[in-house]
Amino acid sequence: PFQLRPWRKEDAIRPVGRADVYRVQSLLRRRRIPAWERLSWPVLEWHGHVVWVRGIGVGADWAAGPETRQAVVIAETG
């Protein structure tokens, strides 16, 4: 099952179009997300693997491709 939860210090993701895996903390800092906002920054997890991070997007291993037959749409409403 998917789990939506706040990010954790050990969380990492490989963004679409990137070859390397990055820590979520590093990506949030690069995007200049204030520390107080990061406290509850959401990530979507599947069996311990980070699938999606708000503002960063879906991980490359989870992105839809030409062979994709089923998908999950993640929509953030404000």
Side-chain angles (χ1 to χ4, degrees), residues 13 15 27-28 31 33 41-43 52-58 74 76:
I13 191 169
L27 294 170
L28 295 177
R31 294 196 182 261
I33 307 299
W41 204 261
V43 301
W52 169 87
V53 179
R54 174 205 259 168
I56 295 166
V58 68
I74 302 168
E76 186 177 345

Side-chain angles (χ1 to χ4, degrees), residues 7 24-42 54:
W7 75 280
V24 171
Q25 181 176 18
S26 172
L27 294 170
L28 295 177
R29 281 185 185 159
R30 286 183 189 179
R31 294 196 182 261
R32 300 182 187 262
I33 307 299
W36 63 268
E37 241 182 282
R38 282 186 245 149
L39 293 174
S40 60
W41 204 261
R54 174 205 259 168

Side-chain angles (χ1 to χ4, degrees), residues 47-66:
H47 294 287
H49 300 279
V50 176
V51 174
W52 169 87
V53 179
R54 174 205 259 168
I56 295 166
V58 68
D61 298 332
W62 299 89

